[in-house]
């Protein structure tokens, strides 16, 4: 039996109103291989979220399992419940993976929280009525393949977003990533990447007060059309002592078509970094930072820190 434990910490800062959201999470995660073909993970902890006028705390629990049928086929599943939300604290993801010789395909379905605002995540009662609590349910298939040195990831998706007091909002989209090696040596690897994301919502539900016209009160970013293009460089450094540093950054050219504003091209940004260090035998520390800017709508900064013990 092989297993391990993790102590994950997570924080988020998103200061722009009305999409304001701050929060942190602290928990403990255990992983064990009950058989040679299965891996089970269990995580539990507490989290707290707030904005200028509201705050809420709660506990969460997450149960995941991977079943490996053979070296090329597996199923991954995870179910979570978060008590911090004022309604509907359920999230899940189920995915089948087939690894071919020159490609992989991963069809799946996921139900996710929307971290676009306090209202979208937790639910807001500032108007006296519970608004927001946005949850996206998406069916998708990720296809990964290579053409020479270039690696492609293509993910079409379709589903809907649900929110309190509103009808389901249909969403369709396409998420792609292209990566090409630029330079490498004994310790360094540099890759040029191009990320493209396109999504369409049937309604603009980004409002925060009761309304019968768009933007409707869902509290989540939902323009009729949103296109995000990010050309960036990603660099990985692995030291002699197995310390690893990763950074990826680039500008974002975005097209946003909102219900109450003229469609326009805008500029955003994207930055990711991580550092991994083996401390002592069986003990590993990893810290991550992510920065995302959606034009003038919101800026989100996230940090993650994980302490891993393997037994």
């Amino acid at each position: 039996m092989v297993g391990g434990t993790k102590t994950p910490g997570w924080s988020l800062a998103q200061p722009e109103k009305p999409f304001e959201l701050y929060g942190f999470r602290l928990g403990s995660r255990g992983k064990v291989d009950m058989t040679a073909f299965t891996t089970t993970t269990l995580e539990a902890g507490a989290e707290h979220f707030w904005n200028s006028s509201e705050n809420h705390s709660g506990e969460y629990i997450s149960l995941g399992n991977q079943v490996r049928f053979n070296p090329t086929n597996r199923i991954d599943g995870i179910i979570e419940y978060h008590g911090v939300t004022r309604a509907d604290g359920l999230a899940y993801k189920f995915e089948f993976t087939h690894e071919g010789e020159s490609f992989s395909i991963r069809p799946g379905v996921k139900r996710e929280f929307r971290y676009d605002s306090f209202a979208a995540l937790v639910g807001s009662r500032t108007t006296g009525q519970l608004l927001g609590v946005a949850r996206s349910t998406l069916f998708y298939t990720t296809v990964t393949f290579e053409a020479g040195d270039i690696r492609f990831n293509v993910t079409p998706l379709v589903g809907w977003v649900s929110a309190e007091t509103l009808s389901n909002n249909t969403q369709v989209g396409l998420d792609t990533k292209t990566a090409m090696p630029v330079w490498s040596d004994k310790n360094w690897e540099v890759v040029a990447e191009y990320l493209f994301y396109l999504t369409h919502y049937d309604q603009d539900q980004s409002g925060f007060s009761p309304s019968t016209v768009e933007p409707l009160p869902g509290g989540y970013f939902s323009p009729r059309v949103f296109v995000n293009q990010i050309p960036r460089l990603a660099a990985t450094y692995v030291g002699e002592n197995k310390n690893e540093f990763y950074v990826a950054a680039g500008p974002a050219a975005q097209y946003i078509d909102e219900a109450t504003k003229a469609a326009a091209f805008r500029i955003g940004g994207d930055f990711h970094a991580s550092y991994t260090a083996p401390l002592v035998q069986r003990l590993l520390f990893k810290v991550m930072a992510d920065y995302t800017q959606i034009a003038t709508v919101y800026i989100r900064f996230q940090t993650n820190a994980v302490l891993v013990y393997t037994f």
Side-chain angles (χ1 to χ4, degrees), residues 65-70 72-77 93-100 103-109 140-143:
N65 196 54
Q66 181 183 91
V67 179
R68 297 174 290 277
F69 301 105
N70 51 51
T72 61
N73 297 283
R74 67 178 184 271
I75 291 179
D76 293 271
K93 180 178 181 180
F94 298 97
E95 184 177 273
F96 171 78
T97 299
H98 171 73
E99 299 279 357
F103 77 99
S104 69
I105 183 168
R106 303 195 309 273
V109 58
Y140 64 92
T141 298
T142 298
V143 179

Side-chain angles (χ1 to χ4, degrees), residues 34-172:
M34 298 298 295
T35 72
F37 308 102
T38 62
T39 299
T40 301
T41 61
L42 177 65
E43 181 178 338
E47 52 193 354
H48 180 70
F49 294 95
W50 70 94
N51 62 11
S52 297
S53 56
E54 299 179 89
N55 69 88
H56 220 238
S57 299
E59 293 75 36
Y60 74 93
I61 187 169
S62 173
L63 176 65
N65 196 54
Q66 181 183 91
V67 179
R68 297 174 290 277
F69 301 105
N70 51 51
T72 61
N73 297 283
R74 67 178 184 271
I75 291 179
D76 293 271
I78 186 168
I79 299 176
E80 299 181 1
Y81 180 80
H82 293 250
V84 70
T85 65
R86 288 178 167 144
D88 197 355
L90 180 66
Y92 57 76
K93 180 178 181 180
F94 298 97
E95 184 177 273
F96 171 78
T97 299
H98 171 73
E99 299 279 357
E101 291 186 4
S102 59
F103 77 99
S104 69
I105 183 168
R106 303 195 309 273
V109 58
K110 57 184 177 181
R111 190 172 195 268
E112 298 180 318
F113 297 158
R114 293 294 296 254
Y115 288 83
D116 297 16
S117 71
F118 182 88
L121 176 62
V122 178
S124 175
R125 293 191 183 276
T126 56
T127 65
Q129 179 184 14
L130 180 61
L131 302 176
V133 195
R135 306 290 179 256
S136 67
T137 302
L138 296 171
F139 296 86
Y140 64 92
T141 298
T142 298
V143 179
T144 302
F145 60 96
E146 295 181 356
D149 291 335
I150 304 177
R151 184 179 180 87
F152 298 90
N153 285 270
V154 181
T155 306
L157 54 92
V158 60
W160 65 89
V161 182
S162 62
E164 289 292 307
T165 75
L166 300 177
S167 59
N168 288 347
N169 193 10
T170 303
Q171 179 186 2
V172 296

Side-chain angles (χ1 to χ4, degrees), residues 231-268:
R232 71 183 189 185
L233 285 176
T236 303
Y237 172 81
V238 179
E240 299 296 336
N241 57 356
K242 302 302 182 181
N243 286 14
E244 180 179 305
F245 176 72
Y246 167 83
V247 62
Q254 300 163 343
Y255 175 81
I256 304 175
D257 184 1
E258 299 176 272
T260 59
K261 299 179 182 178
F265 284 95
R266 302 178 184 179
I267 300 299

